[in-house]
Amino acid sequence: MVLLFLFIIWEMVVKLAEIPAWLLPPPTEIIEEAMTGWSLFSVHLQSTIQLSLLGFVIGSSIGLITAIILHLIPIIRESIYPLLILSQNIPIIVLAPLLVIWFGFGLMPKLIVITLVCFFPITVAALDGFRQTPNELKHYMMMAGANRGQLFWKLELPYSLPAVFSGLKISATYSVMGAVISEWLGAKNGVGVYMTLASSSFRTDRVFVAILFIMIVSLILFAIILLIERILVRWKAKEENKK
Amino acid sequence: MTLLSIENVSKSFGQNEVIHGLNLQIQEGEFVSILGPSGSGKSTIFNLIGGLLTPEEGTIHLQNKIINGQRGSVSYMPQTPSLLPWRTILQNVVLGQELRGTTNIEKAQEMIHKAGLGEYIHSYPHELSGGMKQRVAFIRALLSPQPIILLDEPFSALDELTRLSMQKWLLNIWESNKRTVLFVTHNIEEALFLSDRILILSQRPASVISDLKVPFDRPRNEELVLEDQFLESKRAIHYSLKRNVYE
């Protein structure tokens, strides 16, 4: 509703102030372009979706594995964790050209960019989840004779699932963004390529089409993860309903 | 036959000696309570038997094997139910077995039904009341394969009425299973009502100051707690605790 209202105001302001379309096109024109230019755009969209999904899967797997290793081996956690935080302070825009120099224009540098933006939220969320496991549950498990592996697989991992999913949801939206940024590096197809072309030829309506679809893809990815979470962490939802 | 035997065990945390020269023996099939003031190191004793802590001195034998610092030799029921929230009741009660090897689902189902929790067998813990959760935790302990069950003030978080019905329920289940039980409590009445023998702990550093045989026959019913002999014993224990705690 709010979104619709914003679109109406936008439309009215553009029409009343007679803003030229190359500066700010009205929503109706954007939607029109989305429909007429679909055959051209869909190729780009498809390749971006593939790239985001692949990057997301790789990034979140690496994120989860990193969290597990850091959690199970405390010495590594203490020495590596600060490095991980530092890695998040390197601006991707600066790193991107370097990656191209090292790995060329292929898939590799793009996946590295997406992985870099994806893995961190998951690692942090999962580590917190592991550590927040209640002491009373850990105490029971240890008294009952659970070894380190059992403690992790039967208690800490399932306990941290809600936290892991929070991380996954953040990473999912990041992965689409990461894919678009990585396409700026140079690619044949992709929403990033489409956007660069559109903005350099002052096709502002196309830039907005790209933005619109980036948001839609992010939302769909988010919704899919939410759905998986509902299925896997059913106990948590039930517990909260009761409260 | 002596099942569990603790000989001359001492344990301290830094400068602070918590247990000093503790001796106790538990026979097979016996229900023994450890009674002591709060902070007297009861939980430390359990952590020693459970192998989470290692004593500085002395030995702990279970079935003639030394189990100092060895985890998983006993079955355990903690103060809070400690059920895993993502497991159903049935999946929760088999956890103790699962950690030690094989699970017996049929036995578990049978026990849940016997405990009057049949309709909750596929429910999650948060759907149960506090008393029911403790029943589940006790069934989990009963189903665990170890030869002795440690109960750590299992009813202390329950209200008085629930506590009474839980004690009766526990006795009922126990009398048909006759597992060896070591029960920690600070409630005199509870210790008298449930056990064959009561060990009274001193204040820190803890050691056993008296070993009382409970003179009542089994099966016991709730009228017992109002009989003269029961009240007499309660009074005796009360004074013995008071003497050692305050003087």
Side-chain angles (χ1 to χ4, degrees), chain A residues 139-140 150 154 235 242, chain B residues 47 76 86 98-99 126 140:
Chain A
H139 186 245
Y140 168 75
Q150 286 173 324
K154 291 188 194 294
W235 56 276
K242 210 189 161 200
Chain B
N47 284 341
Y76 177 61
W86 53 88
E98 204 180 295
L99 294 175
H126 66 87
R140 179 176 63 184

Side-chain angles (χ1 to χ4, degrees), chain B residues 9 11 19 44-55 60 67 69:
Chain B
V9 161
K11 175 77 194 170
I19 291 166
T44 308
I45 297 178
F46 270 14
N47 284 341
L48 285 166
I49 302 172
L52 298 197
L53 298 173
T54 315
I60 305 167
I67 56 158

Side-chain angles (χ1 to χ4, degrees), chain B residues 25-198:
Chain B
Q25 266 82 40
I26 314 261
Q27 308 301 314
E28 200 168 329
E30 231 185 348
F31 194 126
V32 178
S33 289
I34 296 181
L35 190 65
S38 310
S40 60
K42 290 174 295 200
S43 297
T44 308
I45 297 178
F46 270 14
N47 284 341
L48 285 166
I49 302 172
L52 298 197
L53 298 173
T54 315
E56 274 112 43
E57 272 173 54
T59 49
I60 305 167
H61 288 268
L62 182 74
Q63 290 173 319
N64 296 322
K65 269 185 250 135
I66 297 179
I67 56 158
N68 286 20
Q70 238 181 65
R71 279 199 223 158
S73 325
V74 294
S75 158
Y76 177 61
M77 174 179 178
Q79 213 163 348
T80 54
S82 305
L83 305 175
L84 304 186
W86 53 88
R87 287 181 173 230
T88 62
I89 298 315
L90 182 62
Q91 291 166 336
N92 258 299
V93 296
V94 295
L95 180 63
Q97 297 182 335
E98 204 180 295
L99 294 175
R100 307 304 296 167
T102 51
T103 53
N104 186 343
I105 298 285
E106 276 159 42
K107 179 89 186 293
Q109 282 168 332
E110 189 195 315
M111 291 284 281
I112 293 172
H113 282 288
K114 252 193 216 159
L117 293 169
E119 55 181 309
Y120 293 102
I121 195 159
H122 297 301
S123 304
Y124 288 93
H126 66 87
E127 295 167 82
L128 273 62
S129 71
M132 289 195 275
K133 281 186 215 168
Q134 279 303 54
R135 287 185 199 200
V136 175
F138 183 63
I139 298 169
R140 179 176 63 184
L142 270 182
L143 286 170
S144 301
Q146 294 91 340
I148 183 166
I149 303 176
L150 307 187
L151 299 143
D152 189 359
E153 301 195 30
F155 308 139
S156 62
L158 301 175
D159 62 84
E160 193 62 23
L161 284 173
T162 316
R163 175 198 280 256
L164 267 176
S165 76
M166 284 296 290
Q167 288 166 353
K168 273 187 292 177
W169 176 85
L170 180 75
L171 264 193
N172 222 327
I173 295 268
W174 180 77
E175 271 159 7
S176 59
N177 282 278
K178 290 283 178 192
R179 294 281 295 273
T180 314
V181 170
L182 185 57
F183 189 97
V184 155
T185 180
H186 57 247
N187 185 317
I188 301 172
E189 202 163 289
E190 184 168 86
L192 269 173
F193 183 60
L194 296 173
S195 17
D196 297 316
R197 202 147 57 84
I198 299 176

Side-chain angles (χ1 to χ4, degrees), chain A:
Chain A
M1 274 310 285
V2 180
L3 212 60
L4 200 67
F5 185 65
L6 279 176
F7 281 149
I8 291 169
I9 289 183
W10 177 356
E11 183 87 31
M12 275 161 61
V13 169
V14 170
K15 285 274 154 68
L16 288 176
E18 292 177 359
I19 298 171
W22 58 266
L23 198 61
L24 181 67
T28 43
E29 259 178 53
I30 296 169
I31 289 165
E32 212 182 297
E33 172 59 30
M35 287 193 288
T36 53
W38 175 251
S39 57
L40 172 75
F41 183 67
S42 62
V43 184
H44 293 295
L45 187 64
Q46 206 187 348
S47 98
T48 301
I49 292 176
Q50 274 171 5
L51 185 62
S52 328
L53 284 180
L54 189 62
F56 174 63
V57 170
I58 295 175
S60 43
S61 316
I62 292 181
L64 198 58
I65 292 168
T66 311
I68 293 174
I69 293 172
L70 293 195
H71 177 67
L72 292 183
I73 313 169
I75 306 164
I76 292 190
R77 180 172 58 222
E78 277 148 37
S79 49
I80 302 279
Y81 199 63
L83 285 182
L84 285 183
I85 295 168
L86 277 181
S87 81
Q88 293 305 300
N89 292 327
I90 306 168
I92 293 292
I93 298 291
V94 177
L95 195 64
L98 276 181
L99 290 174
V100 172
I101 295 172
W102 294 334
F103 300 103
F105 285 100
L107 197 59
M108 191 66 170
K110 299 188 181 68
L111 288 179
I112 293 178
V113 167
I114 305 175
T115 303
L116 272 176
V117 294
C118 268
F119 89 97
F120 191 67
I122 295 175
T123 306
V124 173
L127 268 179
D128 278 350
F130 297 151
R131 276 208 272 192
Q132 276 161 9
T133 312
N135 271 329
E136 55 182 66
L137 294 183
K138 256 193 235 165
H139 186 245
Y140 168 75
M141 293 292 276
M142 271 149 69
M143 283 294 269
N147 56 37
R148 193 71 193 84
Q150 286 173 324
L151 198 64
F152 179 74
W153 290 108
K154 291 188 194 294
L155 178 64
E156 289 169 332
L157 187 67
Y159 190 86
S160 70
L161 271 188
V164 170
F165 271 100
S166 313
L168 282 177
K169 279 183 266 182
I170 297 172
S171 293
T173 52
Y174 280 12
S175 75
V176 182
M177 205 180 66
V180 173
I181 292 176
S182 73
E183 282 162 356
W184 290 348
L185 296 179
K188 273 202 264 359
N189 289 317
V191 176
V193 178
Y194 178 87
M195 257 177 135
T196 341
L197 287 176
S199 69
S200 59
S201 55
F202 290 99
R203 286 299 301 266
T204 317
D205 51 345
R206 289 191 174 173
V207 176
F208 276 98
V209 169
I211 293 174
L212 182 72
F213 276 98
I214 291 171
M215 291 197 295
I216 292 174
V217 170
S218 300
L219 276 180
I220 292 174
L221 211 54
F222 192 89
I224 293 171
I225 291 166
L226 204 66
L227 195 74
I228 299 173
E229 181 183 14
R230 285 275 158 81
I231 296 167
L232 278 182
V233 204
R234 209 177 297 153
W235 56 276
K236 191 85 181 177
K238 277 190 180 176
E239 203 174 71
E240 273 156 14
N241 278 344
K242 210 189 161 200
K243 282 172 198 157

